[in-house]
Amino acid sequence: ARSLALVRRLVRDFMRRHAGKLALAFLFMALAAASTALRAWLMEPVLDRIFVARDASLLLLISGVALALALLKGIADYGESVLMARVGQRVVTDVQIALFTRLMRADLAYFTAHPSGRLISRFTNDVALLRNAAANVLAGIGKDAVTVVFLVGVMFYQDWLLALVSFFAFPLAIRPIIGIGRRMRRVSANTQVTLGELTTLLSQTFQGARLVKAYGMEPYEEGRATGLFERVFALVDRANRTRSRAGPMMEALGGAAIAMVILYGGHEVIAAARTPGAFFSFITALLLAYQPVKSLANLNASLQEGLAAAQRVFEVIDIEPTIRDLPGAWPLRIAG
């Protein structure tokens, strides 16, 4: 519920105004996904009509279709990439403006209680994570998920039973992937806190370099900084290890699915129950779907990193100054 509330607020406050660009980007994503699926379907006439039946009349047509699909995918990928990058950077800029505007109206007590390094970390580290998460999630939903849907459609078109066989293992990955996302959120939150402390330390040390030199505090400051650098290293390393757990799991499940498809589909081809073209069209769609499925498996981890950053950003945006003008207050006048 908390994650959903954060997502809704991000969409309402910072992303809804870019709905037109996002819709166009999703259109480009759909075109790229459709061209990928059509490439897999094209394997059937290539094998059955050209290599098996030796029908030379289709050579030019199929080659032209393959070239057209490649050009369509290239243009769609370019359009989607440019639009998503522009929206992502625009969201970052809007968040930074909102943060700065809110801080300029905060009480001095807030700045006393929160060191400048931690506040600067919200503008840099947290906002960067938020941008990456937004780009990854939108790309995952708009591109990877749609690509998988199109490719699965090709697979069911070729053989619905073989398609069901190939997906038997993937539901097993749902619960571990959710667990990985939860751990990523905790680790990411701790990492951002430590980075804020590190930024504070660096800012204070550099600004007070004259005092550090005057009192011979170099070894002490080196020890403090080294401790924080090591903490950041440990947290980032833990995050990488946690995020990377999805890869081997998806590799194993993908390998099991491919093995089952080869075993069952190969037997069907040998028994002449289906053509080699239909089988290779199916296996091509399965292999092309593997990378988007793997990306979707990592999607929850990226989302949780972004939500951890969003929560820290909104904590600052939501602050309310204690000292405020009352309604109808007179303007301050300086007696001359």
Side-chain angles (χ1 to χ4, degrees), residues 96 99 103 114-127 195-196 199-200 203 207 312:
Q96 289 172 330
L99 276 172
L103 284 173
H114 297 81
S116 60
R118 295 184 183 180
L119 298 177
I120 293 172
S121 180
R122 308 288 173 95
F123 285 87
T124 55
N125 301 319
D126 289 328
V127 172
L195 285 173
T199 306
T200 299
S203 176
Q207 290 178 4
R312 286 167 50 82

Short mmCIF file of all heavy atoms in Angstrom, two decimals, residues 96 99 103 114-127 195-196 199-200 203 207 312:
data_model
loop_
_atom_site.label_atom_id
_atom_site.label_comp_id
_atom_site.label_asym_id
_atom_site.label_seq_id
_atom_site.Cartn_x
_atom_site.Cartn_y
_atom_site.Cartn_z
N GLN A 96 13.91 18.53 -8.43
CA GLN A 96 14.94 19.38 -7.83
C GLN A 96 14.39 20.79 -7.55
O GLN A 96 14.67 21.38 -6.51
CB GLN A 96 16.15 19.45 -8.75
CG GLN A 96 16.94 18.15 -8.78
CD GLN A 96 18.04 18.15 -9.83
OE1 GLN A 96 17.92 18.80 -10.86
NE2 GLN A 96 19.11 17.43 -9.56
N LEU A 99 12.15 20.56 -4.53
CA LEU A 99 12.95 20.42 -3.32
C LEU A 99 13.54 21.77 -2.89
O LEU A 99 13.45 22.16 -1.72
CB LEU A 99 14.08 19.42 -3.56
CG LEU A 99 13.77 17.93 -3.39
CD1 LEU A 99 14.95 17.10 -3.86
CD2 LEU A 99 13.47 17.61 -1.93
N LEU A 103 12.76 23.99 0.50
CA LEU A 103 13.81 24.26 1.47
C LEU A 103 14.00 25.76 1.69
O LEU A 103 14.35 26.20 2.79
CB LEU A 103 15.13 23.63 1.00
CG LEU A 103 15.23 22.11 1.18
CD1 LEU A 103 16.49 21.58 0.53
CD2 LEU A 103 15.20 21.74 2.66
N HIS A 114 19.39 19.30 10.14
CA HIS A 114 19.75 18.46 8.99
C HIS A 114 20.99 19.04 8.32
O HIS A 114 20.91 20.11 7.70
CB HIS A 114 18.60 18.39 7.99
CG HIS A 114 17.36 17.76 8.56
ND1 HIS A 114 16.47 18.46 9.35
CD2 HIS A 114 16.86 16.50 8.44
CE1 HIS A 114 15.48 17.66 9.71
NE2 HIS A 114 15.69 16.47 9.17
N PRO A 115 22.13 18.38 8.44
CA PRO A 115 23.36 18.89 7.83
C PRO A 115 23.21 19.08 6.32
O PRO A 115 22.42 18.39 5.66
CB PRO A 115 24.39 17.80 8.15
CG PRO A 115 23.84 17.08 9.34
CD PRO A 115 22.35 17.14 9.19
N SER A 116 23.97 20.03 5.79
CA SER A 116 23.84 20.37 4.37
C SER A 116 24.16 19.19 3.47
O SER A 116 23.57 19.04 2.40
CB SER A 116 24.76 21.55 4.04
OG SER A 116 26.11 21.21 4.31
N GLY A 117 25.10 18.35 3.88
CA GLY A 117 25.46 17.21 3.03
C GLY A 117 24.30 16.26 2.79
O GLY A 117 24.12 15.74 1.69
N ARG A 118 23.50 16.04 3.83
CA ARG A 118 22.33 15.16 3.68
C ARG A 118 21.30 15.78 2.74
O ARG A 118 20.67 15.08 1.94
CB ARG A 118 21.71 14.88 5.04
CG ARG A 118 22.62 14.11 5.98
CD ARG A 118 21.92 13.78 7.28
NE ARG A 118 22.82 13.10 8.21
CZ ARG A 118 22.47 12.70 9.43
NH1 ARG A 118 21.23 12.93 9.86
NH2 ARG A 118 23.34 12.10 10.22
N LEU A 119 21.14 17.09 2.84
CA LEU A 119 20.18 17.75 1.94
C LEU A 119 20.69 17.73 0.50
O LEU A 119 19.92 17.51 -0.43
CB LEU A 119 19.94 19.19 2.41
CG LEU A 119 19.33 19.33 3.80
CD1 LEU A 119 19.20 20.80 4.17
CD2 LEU A 119 17.97 18.64 3.86
N ILE A 120 21.98 17.96 0.31
CA ILE A 120 22.56 17.91 -1.04
C ILE A 120 22.40 16.51 -1.62
O ILE A 120 22.15 16.34 -2.82
CB ILE A 120 24.03 18.34 -1.01
CG1 ILE A 120 24.14 19.82 -0.65
CG2 ILE A 120 24.71 18.07 -2.35
CD1 ILE A 120 25.56 20.29 -0.42
N SER A 121 22.51 15.49 -0.76
CA SER A 121 22.35 14.12 -1.23
C SER A 121 20.96 13.87 -1.80
O SER A 121 20.80 13.06 -2.72
CB SER A 121 22.62 13.13 -0.08
OG SER A 121 22.47 11.80 -0.50
N ARG A 122 19.95 14.56 -1.28
CA ARG A 122 18.61 14.41 -1.84
C ARG A 122 18.55 14.93 -3.27
O ARG A 122 17.86 14.38 -4.12
CB ARG A 122 17.58 15.17 -0.98
CG ARG A 122 17.63 14.85 0.51
CD ARG A 122 17.10 13.49 0.83
NE ARG A 122 17.31 13.14 2.23
CZ ARG A 122 16.42 13.31 3.19
NH1 ARG A 122 15.25 13.84 2.91
NH2 ARG A 122 16.69 12.94 4.43
N PHE A 123 19.29 16.03 -3.53
CA PHE A 123 19.29 16.62 -4.86
C PHE A 123 20.08 15.79 -5.87
O PHE A 123 19.84 15.90 -7.07
CB PHE A 123 19.90 18.03 -4.81
CG PHE A 123 18.98 19.07 -4.23
CD1 PHE A 123 18.95 19.30 -2.88
CD2 PHE A 123 18.16 19.82 -5.06
CE1 PHE A 123 18.11 20.25 -2.33
CE2 PHE A 123 17.31 20.77 -4.52
CZ PHE A 123 17.28 20.99 -3.16
N THR A 124 21.04 15.02 -5.41
CA THR A 124 21.93 14.30 -6.32
C THR A 124 21.63 12.80 -6.33
O THR A 124 21.07 12.28 -7.30
CB THR A 124 23.39 14.56 -5.93
OG1 THR A 124 23.59 14.22 -4.54
CG2 THR A 124 23.75 16.02 -6.14
N ASN A 125 21.97 12.13 -5.25
CA ASN A 125 21.85 10.67 -5.23
C ASN A 125 20.41 10.19 -5.31
O ASN A 125 20.07 9.31 -6.11
CB ASN A 125 22.52 10.12 -3.96
CG ASN A 125 23.98 10.48 -3.87
OD1 ASN A 125 24.70 10.44 -4.86
ND2 ASN A 125 24.43 10.86 -2.69
N ASP A 126 19.53 10.76 -4.47
CA ASP A 126 18.14 10.31 -4.44
C ASP A 126 17.43 10.61 -5.75
O ASP A 126 16.70 9.76 -6.28
CB ASP A 126 17.39 10.97 -3.28
CG ASP A 126 17.85 10.44 -1.93
OD1 ASP A 126 18.21 9.26 -1.86
OD2 ASP A 126 17.83 11.19 -0.95
N VAL A 127 17.63 11.81 -6.28
CA VAL A 127 16.96 12.17 -7.52
C VAL A 127 17.47 11.32 -8.69
O VAL A 127 16.70 10.94 -9.57
CB VAL A 127 17.15 13.68 -7.80
CG1 VAL A 127 16.64 14.04 -9.18
CG2 VAL A 127 16.43 14.50 -6.74
N LEU A 195 25.39 7.83 2.17
CA LEU A 195 25.91 8.79 1.20
C LEU A 195 25.67 10.22 1.67
O LEU A 195 26.52 11.11 1.46
CB LEU A 195 25.27 8.56 -0.16
CG LEU A 195 25.76 7.35 -0.94
CD1 LEU A 195 24.92 7.15 -2.20
CD2 LEU A 195 27.24 7.49 -1.32
N GLY A 196 24.54 10.47 2.30
CA GLY A 196 24.28 11.79 2.86
C GLY A 196 25.28 12.14 3.96
O GLY A 196 25.79 13.27 4.02
N THR A 199 28.59 12.92 2.26
CA THR A 199 28.59 14.26 1.65
C THR A 199 28.75 15.33 2.71
O THR A 199 29.47 16.32 2.52
CB THR A 199 27.28 14.48 0.87
OG1 THR A 199 27.11 13.41 -0.08
CG2 THR A 199 27.32 15.79 0.11
N THR A 200 28.09 15.15 3.86
CA THR A 200 28.23 16.10 4.96
C THR A 200 29.67 16.16 5.45
O THR A 200 30.23 17.25 5.67
CB THR A 200 27.30 15.70 6.11
OG1 THR A 200 25.94 15.72 5.66
CG2 THR A 200 27.45 16.64 7.29
N SER A 203 31.91 17.93 2.91
CA SER A 203 31.65 19.37 2.88
C SER A 203 32.27 20.06 4.10
O SER A 203 32.93 21.10 3.97
CB SER A 203 30.14 19.61 2.84
OG SER A 203 29.84 20.99 2.91
N GLN A 207 35.51 22.64 3.87
CA GLN A 207 35.29 24.01 4.29
C GLN A 207 36.17 24.37 5.50
O GLN A 207 36.57 25.53 5.65
CB GLN A 207 33.82 24.23 4.63
CG GLN A 207 32.90 24.21 3.42
CD GLN A 207 31.44 24.38 3.79
OE1 GLN A 207 31.11 24.59 4.95
NE2 GLN A 207 30.56 24.29 2.80
N ARG A 312 12.37 9.50 0.55
CA ARG A 312 13.26 10.49 1.15
C ARG A 312 13.04 11.88 0.55
O ARG A 312 13.10 12.89 1.25
CB ARG A 312 14.71 10.04 0.96
CG ARG A 312 15.12 8.89 1.85
CD ARG A 312 16.44 8.27 1.42
NE ARG A 312 17.49 9.25 1.22
CZ ARG A 312 18.22 9.77 2.20
NH1 ARG A 312 17.99 9.38 3.44
NH2 ARG A 312 19.17 10.64 1.93
#
